[in-house]
Amino acid sequence: MINAILALEDGSVFHGQGFGAQASVTGEVCFNTSMTGYQEILTDPSYKGQIVTMTYPLIGNYGVNDQDAESWRAHCAGFVIRELSPVVSSWRADHSLAEYLQHYGIPGIQGVDTRALTKKLRVGGALSGCLSTEGLSESDALERARAWGGMTGRNYVAEVTHKEPFLWDQNENQSAAFALTQKSGETHQRMIRQPLPPADISIVAYDFGIKYNILRCLRQKGFNVRVVPAETSAAEVLSYKPAGVFLSNGPGDPATLGGIVREVKTLVDYGLPIFGICLGHQILAQAFGGKTFKLKFGHRGGNQPVKDLESGRVEITSQNHGFAVDADSLPPDVSVNRINLNDRTVEGLRHRSKPIFCVQYHPEAAPGPHDSTPLFEEFRQLILSTSKRG
Amino acid sequence: MPKRTDIHSVLIIGAGPIIIGQACEFDYSGTQACKALREEGYRVILINSNPATIMTDPEFADRTYIEPVTPEAVEKIIIREQEEMHRLGATGKLVLLPTLGGQTALNTAMKLHHAGTLERLNVEMIGAKADAIEKGENRQVFKELMLSIGLDVPISGTAHTLDEARAVAERIGRYPLIIRPAYTLGGTGGGIGYNREEFEEIAKRGIDLSPVSEILVEESLLGWKEFEMEVMRDCADNCVIICSIENFDPMGVHTGDSITVAPIQTLTDKEFQIMRDQSFAVIRAVGVETGGSNIQFGVSPETGRMVIIEMNPRVSRSSALASKATGFPIAKIAAKLAVGYLLDELRNDITRKTPASFEPTIDYVVTKIPRFAFEKFPQADPTLTTQMKSVGEAMAIGRTFKESLQKCLRSLEIGRSGLGGDGKAWRIGTDFIGDRDTFPRDLITQKLSVPNAERIFFIRHALRAGFSIEEIYTLSKIDRWFLVQIQELVTFEETLAASVN
């Protein structure tokens, strides 16, 4: 059993057993309250630079598989859990969690009182930390944690974005929704996996650290998606003659992305239909002239209630964000159309005169509930109605 | 949407006497409902024949009738109370809330509906309408409905006579077969037929015991994993999952007799979200407009095939467990939703600040273990089947499954401090075996393969006797994840024992 240590900038130290890679890392320690979906969380590029703590204590029970990854690799800096399952029990599993983390060079620590750690983070907000599975001393780990300097002002988008533009899933073998086999043995009913519709609307998706399930959901709604790097100019995007633009999720501080915000503002002024998720929502808010601020403790989990102020309906949503849009900073031509029922922060925006809307949460789920999946269809309808008008 | 103002009085039907299959959990739900509705200013009328319940304490209802829970008694009470309301000059009406008193209350309400009494007296059912109850409770109707919305179900057929039952068995083509009588408490009269003889015996008994002389004969899912979802819905169609539950015992044991664990442990998020989507599809298709429902699933451990087993369109045994496991007061919220509130208009009792429209997420593990009393029923067959036999249950919370399991075993008050290693001898029939003695292999094999109250302890005995996890899995079909957790406890017991020596 490898001794491992987690030190926080406030001086607290947690000891446990290491798993995954032997390494020492620094980052922002945050917690996620999802009870399932650790593989999707590990592979979400938005966690770049973060040491993720799972509040649910038993992790690794169903292993990891080759289908549930949300990008090409695991991204978080480190992984903190209460207890790693000694066995993998799932017909879907291809590897154990420990093997997976080791493969991507990510250290994990188990045996930590994650409830005590979470309470600390809930009181003090996210803290800088150092996680080591290679025998770092308490004082060295504390020193590294304090030297890290925090998430504010960090731009990780450049590190996780694809370097070249590409067309998503031209072979059509990565976009089908996960489905279970059905065999009721009855003649009058047999569920058949939904075939993909023709990809008849071409759009450009900005990749700030995009999750694959966003791309799958877009394809399932008939979008032919060209994924472009984060620093792509508005002129280049327009040269592809897209019917709409999608702005993805991503890591780091949204206030560091001035260059991207300028390009997006050009696209907003141009009048193209735009849909943004998470970081994409925060970038749009800035392009509208609004501001973002750091939440004391971010929303990370799969049970956040969001109220749609237009319909009155409540959606249970998957969320992962440490920053939020300041409602008071927004211009009058942008309306706040969704709010979080827990802390009343902004969860969605709609432009009053342009075909633009965005949400702070994750309608693509993965992990999390599917309540908000209809937003992808809403984007399709928005593009169709805009092109009819135009 | 605010609460309904056209209602003056709410009649709640209690669960009647405590019997196996229907115990104090419905006293809990009924009491919660009484409190919640009085808090809203409604006049609460209660009928329950059992005076040893909390709900019949004088302060819980405006008027309490200790009368037999029968359609005749309820009808008389409705007439009497409507006259009383007239005398009081009440402008609102009297409504019936049948979903909080277990199967007894639901069946009583359905009889009143079928007899035309409710319509004649102009009494509305709130919580669930009669056709929703019908769809949820009638197995054939339910199954057809599930197939029509694209969900998978076990292959099955209904029968009203032994000849019909034989025809269904022939169509399915293999034993064992599951027999479930319609409209009985805790699955009374049901069972598993491993061969033609057993099948016909159980089928005949089931037809006799069912109030509508109907049984469902079903493809066996023995050895499949079993899961439950506790769902809430409000009249604006907002749906939330309150609690997910994984059964330690695989399919074939009544969920009331199964060791159960919350939350689900061995499903990937992809599978869990499909189960969540299907739960909402079920509650919407059945048409339970407001309140809670419990939906049971079977999952093949080899292929992941997911089938709907059944749904309870009412507050159930699992709801009481889910309430304590998560802190979400299901019965109380169900009562408030029934009178028109929306989930986001109600307060979360734990945080006191945020709304009830959320899904509890927990950072601990909850284990429930049924309590049996076979020593008091020497004639009863102690094999666990689809008919419920437990007389109670204990629940424990721990930060790990191991902690919650050990606490729960101790809470059963059967004299053990956990899985074993407490120095107490094991009583097997008339024999005693020392706590740390090795059990005979044939006894272990038998106790692992046939579900019984002691099976959990025999996993320990098997591991100590040198059985591998694979051998135990093959015999019991208990998921390897649970078996390895128990193996860790056994290994620790051996470490402790070695340190003493």
Side-chain angles (χ1 to χ4, degrees):
Chain A
M1 206 61 96
I2 308 155
N3 286 324
I5 186 171
L6 172 69
L8 305 182
E9 61 176 316
D10 71 348
S12 40
V13 175
F14 294 85
H15 291 273
Q17 297 90 47
F19 66 98
Q22 269 188 277
S24 299
V25 295
T26 47
E28 180 186 78
V29 183
C30 64
F31 63 87
N32 186 303
T33 60
S34 301
M35 295 186 286
T36 52
Y38 52 82
Q39 185 183 356
E40 290 89 330
I41 290 165
L42 288 169
T43 53
D44 177 350
S46 298
Y47 283 103
K48 183 78 186 172
Q50 290 178 316
I51 296 172
V52 180
T53 304
M54 298 303 289
T55 59
Y56 186 66
L58 309 180
I59 300 293
N61 302 4
Y62 55 79
V64 292
N65 60 60
D66 295 336
Q67 289 80 46
D68 290 355
E70 276 305 309
S71 67
W72 67 97
R73 59 161 296 146
H75 291 276
C76 67
F79 202 45
V80 183
I81 60 174
R82 173 70 172 80
E83 188 175 277
L84 178 69
S85 175
V87 63
V88 167
S89 180
S90 170
W91 63 281
R92 301 189 63 218
D94 295 308
H95 315 278
S96 75
L97 173 59
E99 288 164 0
Y100 197 69
L101 286 179
Q102 181 157 29
H103 180 75
Y104 290 112
I106 295 168
I109 181 171
Q110 67 155 326
V112 170
D113 184 348
T114 47
R115 182 181 286 173
L117 174 59
T118 302
K119 281 183 168 171
K120 214 175 266 295
L121 299 173
R122 277 191 67 92
V123 173
L127 293 168
S128 300
C130 170
L131 167 57
S132 173
T133 52
E134 48 185 15
L136 218 58
S137 71
E138 284 195 10
S139 55
D140 284 353
L142 282 168
E143 195 179 320
R144 288 197 197 188
R146 285 171 181 141
W148 185 67
M151 187 59 80
T152 304
R154 286 193 189 260
N155 177 354
Y156 285 116
V157 168
E159 292 181 43
V160 296
T161 183
H162 285 85
K163 302 292 178 273
E164 300 292 333
F166 66 97
L167 289 167
W168 168 254
D169 194 19
Q170 292 303 286
N171 299 327
E172 308 215 327
N173 57 8
Q174 290 179 65
S175 296
F178 174 77
L180 293 164
T181 54
Q182 287 200 332
K183 194 176 139 228
S184 65
E186 304 286 311
T187 47
H188 61 288
Q189 180 68 42
R190 210 175 159 114
M191 182 85 153
I192 293 168
R193 187 181 286 245
Q194 289 292 317
L196 291 170
D200 57 357
I201 297 181
S202 290
I203 60 166
V204 164
Y206 264 100
D207 170 21
F208 307 126
I210 197 163
K211 284 169 68 186
Y212 283 175
N213 214 46
I214 292 177
L215 294 167
R216 292 184 199 113
C217 288
L218 288 169
R219 180 60 194 84
Q220 286 160 23
K221 287 296 166 200
F223 291 108
N224 181 31
V225 186
R226 182 183 298 274
V227 182
V228 300
E231 297 290 347
T232 305
S233 68
E236 186 181 336
V237 169
L238 293 172
S239 77
Y240 297 122
K241 300 193 173 8
V245 173
F246 175 80
L247 305 175
S248 85
N249 63 298
D253 182 348
T256 63
L257 306 173
I260 296 170
V261 170
R262 270 194 303 280
E263 299 305 317
V264 169
K265 185 164 187 326
T266 305
L267 295 170
V268 167
D269 293 342
Y270 188 84
L272 272 177
I274 303 177
F275 175 29
I277 286 178
C278 204
L279 183 64
H281 153 92
Q282 295 165 352
I283 287 170
L284 266 175
Q286 293 180 74
F288 295 150
K291 287 192 171 55
T292 59
F293 67 98
K294 185 147 178 43
L295 291 164
K296 187 173 176 190
F297 32 86
H299 301 171
R300 294 185 183 86
N303 70 337
Q304 296 275 341
V306 168
K307 184 156 188 168
D308 179 340
L309 300 175
E310 292 164 5
S311 71
R313 289 284 293 271
V314 178
E315 300 159 26
I316 304 298
T317 68
S318 180
Q319 302 207 354
N320 168 27
H321 58 107
F323 293 83
V325 171
D326 178 1
D328 297 334
S329 71
L330 292 163
D333 53 354
V334 176
S335 73
V336 174
N337 66 342
R338 288 183 167 88
I339 58 162
N340 188 301
L341 286 177
N342 288 340
D343 64 5
R344 320 298 286 186
T345 52
V346 175
E347 292 288 358
L349 300 174
R350 187 187 294 285
H351 199 285
R352 291 185 204 273
S353 56
K354 294 178 191 292
I356 300 175
F357 73 107
C358 53
V359 289
Q360 179 64 76
Y361 52 93
H362 289 270
E364 81 285 4
H370 299 156
D371 296 12
S372 311
T373 318
L375 287 176
F376 292 97
E377 179 62 27
E378 188 177 332
F379 186 38
R380 187 180 168 86
Q381 295 308 322
L382 183 69
I383 289 176
L384 291 175
S385 63
T386 307
S387 64
K388 245 179 250 159
R389 267 206 314 273
Chain B
M1 209 175 297
K3 68 183 177 202
R4 286 174 60 173
T5 51
D6 61 330
I7 297 173
H8 178 268
S9 299
V10 182
L11 173 60
I12 295 175
I13 308 181
I18 286 182
I19 53 174
I20 291 177
Q22 185 165 284
C24 53
E25 60 267 26
F26 299 110
D27 185 22
Y28 165 80
S29 56
T31 307
Q32 291 278 312
C34 289
K35 281 163 71 174
L37 294 172
R38 289 189 82 192
E39 207 173 276
E40 295 302 331
Y42 295 110
R43 185 162 166 274
V44 172
I45 306 151
L46 174 69
I47 169 173
N48 195 350
S49 59
N50 185 351
T53 50
I54 292 169
M55 65 162 80
T56 51
D57 281 2
E59 68 265 30
F60 284 106
D62 294 277
R63 184 160 289 176
T64 304
Y65 290 89
I66 311 269
E67 295 285 342
V69 182
T70 61
E72 297 73 30
V74 175
E75 182 179 349
K76 278 188 199 157
I77 291 167
I78 291 171
I79 293 167
R80 192 163 181 263
E81 287 300 325
Q82 283 178 333
E83 284 166 3
E84 174 73 12
M85 283 163 59
H86 186 70
R87 210 164 26 247
L88 291 169
T91 48
K93 54 187 181 181
L94 182 148
V95 296
L96 175 63
L97 180 56
T99 51
L100 294 154
Q103 197 67 44
T104 301
L106 212 55
N107 287 354
T108 308
M110 285 307 278
K111 281 182 193 153
L112 285 163
H113 165 74
H114 287 306
T117 314
L118 297 180
E119 200 183 359
R120 180 163 45 83
L121 297 174
N122 193 23
V123 174
E124 178 191 343
M125 264 200 239
I126 60 169
K129 299 277 178 272
D131 72 308
I133 297 171
E134 186 80 37
K135 282 185 209 160
E137 293 279 314
N138 182 311
R139 292 181 185 281
Q140 193 56 32
V141 172
F142 179 69
K143 196 186 123 177
E144 296 291 333
L145 184 65
M146 293 302 100
L147 290 169
S148 75
I149 58 169
L151 303 186
D152 205 356
V153 295
I155 311 167
S156 67
T158 51
H160 300 86
T161 65
L162 198 53
D163 275 346
E164 284 179 26
R166 285 190 190 113
V168 177
E170 205 157 297
R171 185 159 60 82
I172 297 172
R174 64 185 170 90
Y175 293 99
L177 291 166
I178 313 273
I179 301 106
R180 299 173 190 268
Y183 291 104
T184 64
L185 300 169
T188 307
I192 303 163
Y194 288 87
N195 51 52
R196 192 189 168 96
E197 200 172 88
E198 279 178 22
F199 167 71
E200 294 192 353
E201 183 194 322
I202 300 166
K204 190 172 176 306
R205 189 180 69 204
I207 293 167
D208 288 347
L209 286 171
S210 166
V212 290
S213 301
E214 181 179 299
I215 57 166
L216 182 78
V217 180
E218 206 166 58
E219 166 191 17
S220 165
L221 305 180
L222 285 179
W224 283 35
K225 299 176 9 157
E226 186 168 354
F227 299 90
E228 290 173 69
M229 295 287 242
E230 286 293 316
V231 194
M232 295 287 281
R233 185 185 188 205
D234 69 19
C235 57
D237 195 28
N238 294 309
C239 293
V240 289
I241 300 287
I242 304 307
C243 189
S244 69
I245 299 169
E246 177 159 353
N247 287 17
F248 175 97
D249 294 288
M251 291 286 300
V253 179
H254 190 280
T255 184
D257 284 354
S258 295
I259 297 174
T260 61
V261 178
I264 286 172
Q265 302 294 332
T266 62
L267 290 183
T268 60
D269 187 67
K270 295 279 179 291
E271 294 165 288
F272 178 82
Q273 299 303 340
I274 288 177
M275 196 174 275
R276 183 179 181 274
D277 292 346
Q278 292 194 356
S279 301
F280 295 165
V282 172
I283 196 170
R284 285 174 176 140
V286 168
V288 176
E289 288 172 334
T290 69
S293 287
N294 161 271
I295 299 159
Q296 291 169 25
F297 294 86
V299 172
S300 160
E302 277 91 34
T303 66
R305 182 183 155 204
M306 187 182 287
V307 299
I308 311 275
I309 307 299
E310 64 171 40
M311 81 101 73
N312 286 305
R314 57 172 169 87
V315 168
S316 70
R317 180 177 312 104
S318 300
S319 318
L321 179 80
S323 290
K324 272 102 178 179
T326 62
F328 190 104
I330 293 175
K332 174 182 163 181
I333 301 286
K336 298 216 174 192
L337 298 180
V339 294
Y341 279 110
L342 300 181
L343 281 164
D344 62 303
E345 293 170 339
L346 299 170
R347 201 187 54 180
N348 171 350
D349 277 355
I350 300 281
T351 62
R352 295 183 187 282
K353 285 180 204 141
T354 57
S357 56
F358 81 117
E359 300 199 342
T361 185
I362 55 181
D363 71 347
Y364 48 85
V365 183
V366 183
T367 302
K368 174 217 85 174
I369 305 180
R371 173 72 148 86
F372 297 92
F374 288 114
E375 68 279 5
K376 292 181 187 162
F377 304 101
Q379 269 88 49
D381 174 8
T383 304
L384 303 183
T385 65
T386 53
Q387 178 178 345
M388 185 169 153
K389 294 175 178 174
S390 63
V391 295
E393 58 196 27
M395 185 195 104
I397 290 178
R399 280 280 282 163
T400 63
F401 170 69
K402 295 180 280 279
E403 181 188 345
S404 70
L405 177 73
Q406 289 287 74
K407 279 169 74 176
C408 200
L409 286 168
R410 204 179 317 152
S411 307
L412 284 174
E413 298 184 5
I414 54 173
R416 303 237 59 118
S417 16
L419 262 186
D422 49 18
K424 293 174 187 158
W426 299 89
R427 185 183 171 150
I428 306 297
T430 51
D431 299 336
F432 284 90
I433 297 179
D435 181 31
R436 296 196 30 86
D437 291 349
T438 304
F439 281 61
R441 284 190 76 91
D442 54 343
L443 177 65
I444 293 172
T445 303
Q446 187 241 326
K447 288 284 191 180
L448 288 179
S449 51
V450 182
N452 62 84
E454 289 95 42
R455 182 157 72 167
I456 177 83
F457 300 106
F458 271 86
I459 296 168
R460 166 192 179 264
H461 305 330
L463 288 163
R464 294 197 65 252
F467 281 64
S468 69
I469 294 290
E470 280 313 303
E471 283 175 283
I472 300 173
Y473 175 72
T474 306
L475 291 168
S476 68
K477 297 290 178 191
I478 292 169
D479 194 279
R480 294 173 186 89
W481 187 83
F482 291 114
L483 297 178
V484 170
Q485 297 288 318
I486 292 172
Q487 186 178 43
E488 292 199 316
L489 287 169
V490 172
T491 306
F492 189 60
E493 181 190 335
E494 298 309 311
T495 308
L496 285 177
S499 71
V500 172
N501 300 339

